[in-house]
C-alpha cells in the first residue's frame, strides 16, 4: 500500500511539474496605464525630430522609408543587406560603432511581433542621434561606449510575415496558399511564420528535431519547424552573420509576456556570467526572469548558448499582442537603454579580463 501511494505521489509531482513548465509565465510587471486607441502618440518621449514614427502596424515599407531617411540624417549609421526573404524582401542590418566587441539585437522572428521591429528601429535612431551629435544619452556617453563596442541591429528578420499581418496576405503572390495554411481564415492577425509557413524561431540547428516533433507537420501560421534546420533564407542570412561576426552577446526581442528568458543548460562560470547579465537587464526593465530551458527546440537562444557559448536573452514585450502600440510608451521606457546597458557590461567584462591578465 505504501509503495502504491508513493508511486501515485510521484506521478502527481511529475504532472504538476509539467504543468508549471508548460503554462505561460506569470509576469510580475505592473500593468501600464494605456492611452485610448485614438490617442496613440506617433512617438513617446520625443526628444528630437524623430524619423521613426507610426500609428499603425510598422510594416516593411515603413522601415524602408525610415532607413532611407536615417542614412541621410546619420552618416555614422551603416546599413547593409544580409540576405532576402522567401518573397524577395531584403533583411537589413544596421551597425553603429567601431569597437571590437559586438552585440546583436534582432527583432520580428515572428510576423505578428512587428512591435519589436518598431522598438529596435527607434533604438537605432536614438543611438545614431547621440552618436552623431556627441550628446550623451540619459545615462551613457554613447560615442565613447561605441568606440569599444559595436551594436548590430537586425530589426526585421521576417519581413514577409509582417507584410502578411499588415495586409492580411493580400500583397503576397501565394495568397491562396497562405489562407490554407491559416486554417482557411482571411484574418492574419495571428500569423507568426514566414511566407512558406515556417516558424523562423524553430529553425536553428540546436535540438531542431524537438521543434519538428513539437509543432505541426505541415506549413502553418505558427510553430512549423520546416523540412529541416536552416531551410529558410531569412534564418540562413542571420546564421551567416552569426558565423562571420562571432558576437559577444545576442538579444532577441519578441512579444508578449513582459518577461526575460536566458537559460539553456549553462553551468559553472558561464551560468554565473549569463545570470549576472540578465539580472542587470531585469533591474533595468522591471521584467522578471524565467529560468527555463523551454524544451521546444530550434530556438535562436538555445543555439547561441550551445553553439557559441555567449549570453543570449529573449525579451518578451507587452501584454496586448493584437494592439501593442497601446503599450509602446511603457515598452520604450523600460527598454530604451537596454542595448547600451549590455554594451557597458561587455566593456567592463573585457576590462576585468585584461586586468586579470596583467
Amino acid at each position: 500500500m505504501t509503495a502504491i501511494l508513493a508511486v501515485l505521489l510521484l506521478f502527481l509531482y511529475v504532472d504538476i511539474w509539467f504543468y508549471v513548465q508548460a503554462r505561460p509565465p506569470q509576469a510580475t510587471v505592473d500593468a501600464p496605464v494605456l492611452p485610448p486607441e485614438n490617442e496613440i502618440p506617433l512617438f513617446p518621449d520625443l526628444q528630437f525630430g524623430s524619423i521613426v514614427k507610426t500609428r499603425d502596424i510598422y510594416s516593411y515599407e515603413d522601415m524602408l522609408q525610415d532607413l532611407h531617411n536615417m542614412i541621410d540624417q546619420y552618416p555614422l549609421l551603416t546599413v547593409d543587406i544580409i540576405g532576402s526573404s522567401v518573397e524577395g524582401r531584403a533583411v537589413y542590418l544596421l551597425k553603429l560603432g567601431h569597437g571590437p566587441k559586438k552585440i546583436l539585437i534582432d527583432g520580428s522572428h515572428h510576423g505578428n511581433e512587428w512591435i519589436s521591429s518598431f522598438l529596435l528601429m527607434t533604438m537605432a535612431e536614438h543611438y545614431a542621434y547621440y552618436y552623431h551629435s556627441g550628446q550623451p544619452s540619459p545615462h551613457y556617453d554613447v560615442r565613447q561606449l561605441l568606440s569599444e563596442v559595436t551594436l548590430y541591429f537586425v530589426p526585421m528578420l521576417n519581413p514577409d510575415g509582417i507584410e502578411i499581418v499588415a495586409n492580411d496576405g493580400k500583397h503576397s503572390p501565394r495568397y491562396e496558399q497562405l489562407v490554407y495554411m491559416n486554417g482557411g481564415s482571411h484574418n492574419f492577425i495571428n500569423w507568426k511564420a514566414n511566407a512558406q509557413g515556417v516558424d523562423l524561431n524553430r529553425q536553428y540547428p540546436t535540438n531542431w528535431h524537438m521543434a519538428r516533433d513539437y509543432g505541426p507537420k505541415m506549413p502553418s501560421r505558427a510553430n512549423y519547424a520546416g523540412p529541416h534546420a536552416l531551410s529558410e533564407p531569412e534564418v540562413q542570412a542571420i546564421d551567416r552573420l552569426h558565423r562571420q561576426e562571432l558576437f559577444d552577446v545576442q538579444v532577441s526581442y519578441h512579444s508578449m509576456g513582459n518577461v526575460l528568458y536566458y537559460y539553456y543548460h549553462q553551468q559553472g562560470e558561464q551560468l554565473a556570467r549569463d545570470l549576472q547579465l540578465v539580472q542587470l537587464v531585469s533591474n533595468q526593465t522591471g521584467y522578471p526572469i524565467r529560468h527555463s530551458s523551454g524544451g521546444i527546440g530550434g530556438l535562436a537562444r538555445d543555439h547561441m548558448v550551445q553553439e557559441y557559448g555567449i549570453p543570449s536573452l529573449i525579451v518578451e514585450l507587452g501584454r496586448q499582442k493584437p494592439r501593442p502600440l497601446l503599450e509602446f510608451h511603457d515598452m520604450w521606457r523600460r527598454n530604451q537603454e537596454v542595448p547600451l546597458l549590455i554594451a557597458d557590461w561587455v566593456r567592463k567584462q573585457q576590462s576585468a579580463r585584461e586586468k586579470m591578465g596583467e
Side-chain angles (χ1 to χ4, degrees):
M1 187 67 180
T2 303
I4 293 173
L5 181 60
V7 170
L8 289 174
L9 288 173
L10 176 61
F11 273 111
L12 178 62
Y13 171 81
V14 170
D15 187 58
I16 292 171
W17 186 89
F18 274 108
Y19 168 75
V20 171
Q21 294 300 310
R23 66 177 177 172
Q26 303 300 307
T28 59
V29 177
D30 293 337
V33 177
L34 302 181
E37 191 166 14
N38 62 353
E39 295 180 14
I40 298 172
L42 277 173
F43 186 81
D45 296 336
L46 184 63
Q47 297 175 8
F48 56 90
S50 174
I51 291 167
V52 180
K53 304 182 182 76
T54 192
R55 285 192 190 274
D56 204 345
I57 293 175
Y58 190 72
S59 70
Y60 178 74
E61 296 300 325
D62 293 333
M63 184 183 70
L64 287 185
Q65 185 61 52
D66 289 345
L67 287 175
H68 176 79
N69 293 331
M70 287 167 68
I71 291 170
D72 290 342
Q73 184 75 21
Y74 307 111
L76 296 175
L77 175 69
T78 301
V79 178
D80 293 316
I81 294 173
I82 62 171
S84 62
S85 68
V86 170
E87 294 188 346
R89 296 180 177 90
V91 178
Y92 283 95
L93 167 68
L94 288 67
K95 289 172 59 178
L96 268 174
H98 53 274
K101 310 302 288 183
K102 304 172 184 178
I103 299 169
L104 173 65
I105 308 104
D106 62 62
S108 290
H109 272 76
H110 297 138
N112 62 345
E113 298 181 1
W114 54 266
I115 194 66
S116 62
S117 296
F118 184 53
L119 178 68
L120 267 56
M121 287 291 291
T122 302
M123 286 176 175
E125 183 182 7
H126 262 68
Y127 303 163
Y129 170 79
Y130 293 127
Y131 187 41
H132 187 262
S133 67
Q135 295 186 36
S137 75
H139 299 102
Y140 297 95
D141 183 333
V142 175
R143 184 170 287 183
Q144 175 60 40
L145 188 57
L146 296 185
S147 70
E148 300 178 65
V149 181
T150 302
L151 298 179
Y152 289 66
F153 290 92
V154 178
M156 192 176 289
L157 184 63
N158 186 3
D160 293 351
I162 287 178
E163 285 301 292
I164 289 167
V165 172
N167 299 290
D168 278 330
K170 294 175 183 177
H171 291 182
S172 173
R174 57 187 74 210
Y175 178 68
E176 295 302 327
Q177 295 171 265
L178 294 176
V179 171
Y180 179 78
M181 290 185 283
N182 199 36
S185 174
H186 296 266
N187 184 337
F188 288 84
I189 192 69
N190 293 317
W191 186 272
K192 292 176 65 177
N194 71 352
Q196 295 191 132
V198 177
D199 191 319
L200 299 185
N201 204 33
R202 305 292 186 270
Q203 267 277 289
Y204 294 86
T206 297
N207 281 330
W208 174 83
H209 69 281
M210 294 173 62
R212 176 198 62 201
D213 297 340
Y214 170 85
K217 307 308 177 189
M218 300 291 291
S220 176
R221 68 175 179 83
N223 300 331
Y224 173 57
H228 55 81
L230 301 178
S231 65
E232 304 309 296
E234 301 92 341
V235 180
Q236 291 169 12
I238 201 166
D239 182 65
R240 283 193 301 271
L241 184 68
H242 293 155
R243 289 185 278 109
Q244 290 167 4
E245 300 296 343
L246 297 177
F247 295 103
D248 295 277
V249 178
Q250 181 256 355
V251 184
S252 282
Y253 272 89
H254 290 260
S255 67
M256 64 179 183
N258 282 341
V259 68
L260 303 170
Y261 296 90
Y262 79 102
Y263 179 70
Y264 192 70
H265 308 299
Q266 300 99 313
Q267 296 181 356
E269 293 182 2
Q270 183 183 5
L271 176 60
R273 176 201 66 188
D274 296 2
L275 183 56
Q276 180 191 57
L277 176 59
V278 77
Q279 285 176 333
L280 287 174
V281 175
S282 178
N283 292 341
Q284 173 77 22
T285 61
Y287 298 154
I289 300 165
R290 179 78 181 270
H291 184 94
S292 171
S293 60
I296 295 172
L299 303 184
R301 175 205 59 188
D302 304 356
H303 191 59
M304 295 300 100
V305 170
Q306 180 167 298
E307 182 70 15
Y308 298 101
I310 64 172
S312 178
L313 309 183
I314 298 172
V315 184
E316 295 279 3
L317 299 166
R319 296 172 183 268
Q320 303 283 329
K321 196 163 193 168
R323 301 166 64 204
L325 274 175
L326 293 172
E327 293 185 83
F328 187 76
H329 178 89
D330 186 67
M331 294 176 189
W332 176 245
R333 178 177 63 85
R334 295 178 186 277
N335 290 276
Q336 177 178 357
E337 292 191 313
V338 165
L340 299 180
L341 171 86
I342 294 172
D344 188 52
W345 179 83
V346 167
R347 179 185 62 81
K348 290 175 179 176
Q349 290 276 306
Q350 178 63 24
S351 177
R353 285 192 294 269
E354 290 173 354
K355 287 181 179 179
M356 290 179 63
E358 291 177 353

